[in-house]
Amino acid sequence: MRRNNAARRTILLAAALALAAAGCSSSSSSSSSGATGSTPAAGSSSSAGAATVDTSSCGSKPGVKATGTPIPLGAIATNQPGTSFTDIPNMAKAYFDCVNANGGVNGHPIKLYIATEQTNPAQIAADAKQLVQTDKVVGIVGNTSIIECSINSSYWQKLGFYVIDSGIAPECYSTPNSAAVNMGPRYSSDGAVQYALAQHVSKVVFDQANVPGTGYIAAGPNALAKAANVPIVDLTENVPITDANSVAIKEVNDAGPNGAVILNFTPPQALVILQAAQKLGLEDRVKLWGCSTPCNTDFLAQSLGPKWNGKLFVNAELAPPDDTNTTSMNLYKAILKQYGSSVQGGIGSFSQMGFTEAEIAVHALQSITGPYTVQSVNAAFKAVKDFDTGQLCQLWTYGDYPLHIPNNSDWTVTPKDGKMTTAQGCTLISKVDPQIAQYRNAAGTAANAPTGS
Amino acid sequence: MPPWVDFEPFIVSGLALGGVYALSGVGLVVLYRATGVLYLAFGAVGALGALIAWSLITRAGAPGWAGWLACVAVAGAVTLAYGLLFGPALARRDPLIKAVATIGLTLILYGVMDLLWTTSGGQARSLTLPTDNGGFTVAQIQVTWTQVIALAAGVVLTVGTGAFLRLTKLGTAMRAMANDRDITATLGVPVRKVEAAAWLGCGILGGIAGLLLADLVALDATTLTFLVISSLAAVLIARLRSITVTFVAAIVIGLLHDLLTPIASLTSYRDMTPFVIAAIGLLVLSRHQVMTQSREEA
């Protein structure tokens, strides 16, 4: 009898776990209340091996270490099991380390405090307060978080911070105090759908992770498809995906032989779907497969293999590293090699974003002649206009606008023998997306200034 | 309601998904019957083994067979080590406490995997087996040999472990020990050795399941670690007793899950299938038990 009771309790535990899982099944990732970590991360650059390309051009005085008063900057990044964006501020730190080793900003080193969070609103708000009140940062550069923009937007506005970030949440693109170097999921999905429509597909299936904000993201692709008179089917999947076979079959059946399947998932989840499609022999049952920017990694290209060469088309918000041989790209790779030991993903969109945000920040800081205060630093950030990052299709402008989508032109890449290669050069995201139209109206010519490169 | 032809491919994918649930579910019941422990780290040890196999094959250039062996060996070793370290201390504790203790191991392994095989920077990994390259077509869907092996492994596991527990001396000792460790010991059974064999066997099963699931589902620590939760539905229906019922329940759950996919109004809720079926199953079983008890009392 005692044993039966014990077994019954074990069954109850199993049932409780199962119910908990059922309740959480629509959540993309777990959140926990880990301690807020604000890690000073400056000055102590570690070499990841000898760089073959000279990195000294990152600073104004090659080989001269900056010894002035540090300029404290801050960043908040999501870092939780399954979702980590720390590569972005870590790459920004690598760039700052390079600058610090080569003269700094007018002799001042940059000290970047990186706070991490686990999608916990209270923790994210506390991160911001700690950066401002304890670490005394004068600017925010490198923020990349699932919900940080939504949580802290009003706080940054109140204090007069003009954030340079990588955006995910709608507020990263729709508020006056946030300007991202990337497009984020909505406009990147726009780019992928736009490419598919240009290939004259008869139907679009847009599938994305079932996380907060799916309606906001899907609004862009839906507007584009509607304007082209092409039917679109919106799907969402609970992640992590455990039934990739049925997901792939459903997508292909819905799209039809002349249709396109567009995915908006993290690389591991997109890979699961694409590999399932391949194993089931479905890759050729639609006209093309598309993906938003997260799929733009060589990891994905290597894992998929040659069957997807010219079959999968991925939106690329930043210059394709394998196909670009510019001063900026070579400097990015050299800094990553020499200073980027903490950048775990290596060459790819995330580290490119960190590099781009850091170079914009340094460019702005160099324009300041007086003391580096919250007022002077953020005024300099806001004043950045037509800056050629070397990583984007367009010149980058912050400006005094009610919303900011400064990166609204993209490449399209496709896997080729384990690498992502350019399938289409810079193309403006259509202003059929009402948010893009609103930004272009506000920013005027700054919204679509092409780079000289 | 879509036409029947639209459901056909989902029967194939549903059987494959059922096979995935069966692999984990049967492994859980086998260890429970052998040791009295609901081993919730079953998925985590398999995931750890699979990630080590990936590192060996992809990063160190080891041959595939060496990676697969390493996967099974690591899962077996970790499980055995846990059993040897914590088994005796937890032996006389309530099965509920034993199960909760394995959540601790799950979280430690999960943390280690997240640290060593980070997904930062868009890193995506995959582990493919040579059996993915061959197969046959059913309902316009290609069925790989890996899927066939997974389903067959579930059947073999069900029949094999059932026979092992009933027909062999070691299996009988395991069952006796799971029922009452002290009485079994007084009968002269070397309980520590039998217990170690059970843990090792379960770890090896976890490794084999991890290898197959990494190929069939995803090589991802989160997915593989918590896949065991979905399999719990089949385990619950079998009330932690019958390996055969667990297997059948897992297949039914997989089939129903995928057959809901093409139905537009229900597709968003299909991930609830294992838990809804488990809840219904438990209610029906409880009602049956109450009625049986009432009849006996009358």
Side-chain angles (χ1 to χ4, degrees):
Chain A
M1 181 63 95
R2 185 175 165 268
R3 177 164 176 79
N4 282 343
N5 285 338
R8 203 165 290 145
R9 282 202 292 276
T10 310
I11 290 171
L12 279 173
L13 169 73
L17 283 169
L19 284 171
C24 297
S25 64
S26 66
S27 168
S28 68
S29 50
S30 62
S31 64
S32 63
S33 56
T36 300
S38 181
T39 311
S44 59
S45 63
S46 61
S47 174
T52 52
V53 178
D54 184 18
T55 57
S56 62
S57 61
C58 68
S60 54
K61 291 182 181 173
V64 179
K65 194 176 176 185
T67 54
T69 317
I71 304 168
L73 300 178
I76 300 172
T78 301
N79 187 21
Q80 64 193 24
T83 309
S84 174
F85 299 128
T86 52
D87 267 4
I88 295 164
N90 283 340
M91 183 64 208
K93 175 201 171 290
Y95 187 95
F96 293 146
D97 286 344
C98 180
V99 170
N100 294 346
N102 293 285
V105 177
N106 302 323
H108 297 276
I110 298 168
K111 189 171 189 175
L112 182 65
Y113 291 86
I114 301 171
T116 57
E117 52 83 12
Q118 288 81 45
T119 324
N120 177 342
Q123 184 191 21
I124 292 166
D127 276 349
K129 286 188 172 64
Q130 178 165 335
L131 288 172
V132 172
Q133 294 169 6
T134 307
D135 302 326
K136 309 285 183 194
V137 300
V138 293
I140 299 294
V141 177
N143 273 11
T144 315
S145 160
I146 295 170
I147 57 171
E148 193 277 336
C149 288
S150 308
I151 303 298
N152 289 335
S153 177
S154 56
Y155 182 67
W156 299 131
Q157 287 187 53
K158 193 175 84 178
L159 298 182
F161 278 82
Y162 285 82
V163 178
I164 298 172
D165 54 11
S166 305
I168 298 173
E171 288 80 1
C172 301
Y173 300 93
S174 58
T175 55
N177 289 54
S178 166
V181 298
N182 67 329
M183 286 187 182
R186 171 164 170 164
Y187 310 113
S188 180
S189 296
D190 279 3
V193 169
Q194 186 170 299
Y195 182 83
L197 293 172
Q199 308 311 308
H200 308 292
V201 297
S202 59
K203 194 175 182 184
V204 172
V205 170
F206 179 61
D207 201 359
Q208 55 179 328
N210 187 11
V211 296
T214 50
Y216 160 78
I217 295 167
N222 275 264
L224 265 65
K226 192 178 172 189
N229 286 320
V230 172
I232 182 167
V233 176
D234 292 317
L235 301 173
T236 57
E237 310 299 339
N238 295 330
V239 288
I241 293 169
T242 55
D243 61 333
N245 289 345
S246 61
V247 170
I249 295 169
K250 183 176 57 164
E251 289 168 345
V252 168
N253 283 355
D254 284 353
N258 198 37
V261 176
I262 308 297
L263 306 175
N264 178 38
F265 290 93
T266 59
Q269 299 304 312
L271 180 63
V272 164
I273 295 173
L274 294 169
Q275 282 192 322
Q278 185 177 322
K279 284 175 189 170
L280 295 168
L282 301 175
E283 70 270 22
D284 293 321
R285 297 261 292 271
V286 293
K287 187 167 185 179
L288 67 87
W289 293 75
C291 201
S292 56
T293 281
C295 293
N296 182 21
T297 71
D298 287 349
F299 288 112
L300 197 85
Q302 285 156 12
S303 296
L304 285 174
K307 278 193 175 179
W308 293 88
N309 291 357
K311 192 73 197 173
L312 171 69
F313 296 91
V314 180
N315 176 268
E317 302 167 9
L318 296 108
D322 294 330
D323 281 0
T324 310
N325 184 21
T326 60
T327 307
S328 170
M329 188 60 77
N330 292 333
L331 180 63
Y332 151 69
K333 290 176 183 173
I335 291 177
L336 178 63
K337 190 174 183 183
Q338 188 171 350
Y339 296 96
S341 59
S342 58
V343 181
Q344 300 190 9
I347 292 173
S349 295
F350 283 9
S351 53
Q352 280 180 274
M353 289 176 202
F355 173 88
T356 307
E357 287 163 47
E359 66 172 339
I360 292 169
V362 169
H363 166 75
L365 292 170
Q366 282 170 338
S367 69
I368 297 171
T369 51
Y372 294 92
T373 63
V374 171
Q375 289 72 27
S376 67
V377 166
N378 286 284
F381 284 178
K382 198 166 79 164
V384 173
K385 184 171 171 57
D386 292 344
F387 176 62
D388 191 350
T389 63
Q391 300 287 329
L392 307 176
C393 275
Q394 301 161 292
L395 303 179
W396 197 88
T397 294
Y398 205 122
D400 192 8
Y401 310 129
L403 75 168
H404 300 274
I405 315 172
N407 180 358
N408 56 83
S409 179
D410 66 351
W411 288 264
T412 300
V413 297
T414 186
K416 187 179 179 187
D417 303 329
K419 287 196 175 297
M420 288 293 184
T421 57
T422 307
Q424 179 181 271
C426 290
T427 306
L428 280 171
I429 300 294
S430 170
K431 64 179 179 183
V432 167
D433 184 325
Q435 298 276 307
I436 294 284
Q438 192 184 347
Y439 174 67
R440 292 208 178 120
N441 285 338
T445 55
N448 57 6
T451 61
S453 52
Chain B
M1 181 72 80
W4 172 247
V5 69
D6 283 2
F7 286 103
E8 286 175 357
F10 292 99
I11 293 176
V12 179
S13 65
L15 282 172
L17 184 65
V20 164
Y21 290 151
L23 267 178
S24 296
V26 168
L28 286 174
V29 176
V30 166
L31 187 75
Y32 185 79
R33 283 188 57 178
T35 64
V37 176
L38 181 60
Y39 187 48
L40 295 170
F42 188 83
V45 293
L48 180 68
L51 285 165
I52 287 173
W54 175 84
S55 293
L56 285 173
I57 296 166
T58 312
R59 294 280 183 253
W65 60 265
W68 309 329
L69 278 179
C71 172
V72 175
V74 166
V78 170
T79 305
L80 177 63
Y82 177 84
L84 291 178
L85 274 173
F86 298 101
L90 292 167
R92 289 178 183 80
R93 305 304 295 269
D94 192 286
L96 184 66
I97 293 169
K98 291 180 191 172
V100 170
T102 66
I103 295 178
L105 176 65
T106 305
L107 295 177
I108 290 168
L109 292 177
Y110 182 53
V112 168
M113 287 186 281
D114 194 54
L115 189 71
L116 298 180
W117 290 277
T118 177
T119 52
S120 178
Q123 295 185 70
R125 302 172 187 86
S126 67
L127 190 67
T128 51
L129 300 173
T131 44
D132 289 338
N133 299 325
F136 50 91
T137 304
V138 178
Q140 294 184 303
I141 294 297
Q142 195 173 308
V143 179
T144 66
W145 292 122
T146 311
Q147 288 171 321
V148 175
I149 289 170
L151 205 56
V155 176
V156 170
L157 207 60
T158 304
V159 175
T161 49
F164 170 77
L165 290 173
R166 282 175 194 280
L167 304 177
T168 68
K169 204 174 171 184
L170 183 60
T172 307
M174 282 179 184
R175 284 192 296 134
M177 200 180 64
N179 271 324
D180 197 310
R181 197 171 188 271
D182 291 337
I183 292 175
T184 309
T186 55
L187 290 172
V189 174
V191 289
R192 298 289 286 271
K193 280 184 184 169
V194 173
E195 213 165 45
W199 283 105
L200 180 65
C202 181
I204 288 170
L205 283 182
I208 294 169
L211 200 58
L212 287 168
L213 297 179
D215 178 287
L216 291 168
V217 181
L219 179 57
D220 172 62
T222 310
T223 308
L224 292 179
T225 300
F226 297 109
L227 191 65
V228 76
I229 303 292
S230 296
S231 307
L232 278 178
V235 173
L236 281 170
I237 292 169
R239 311 200 83 176
L240 291 163
R241 287 178 198 152
S242 170
I243 296 170
T244 309
V245 172
T246 304
F247 179 78
V248 173
I251 297 295
V252 169
I253 288 168
L255 268 174
L256 278 175
H257 178 283
D258 275 20
L259 286 172
L260 291 178
T261 309
I263 304 171
S265 56
L266 296 175
T267 190
S268 302
Y269 307 105
R270 67 185 190 279
D271 284 350
M272 293 165 64
T273 310
F275 314 109
V276 170
I277 291 178
I280 293 170
L282 285 174
L283 283 173
V284 170
L285 286 169
S286 301
R287 189 167 175 271
H288 177 73
Q289 197 174 32
V290 169
M291 286 172 70
T292 308
Q293 279 174 353
S294 302
R295 271 196 217 110
E296 282 171 0
E297 284 166 12

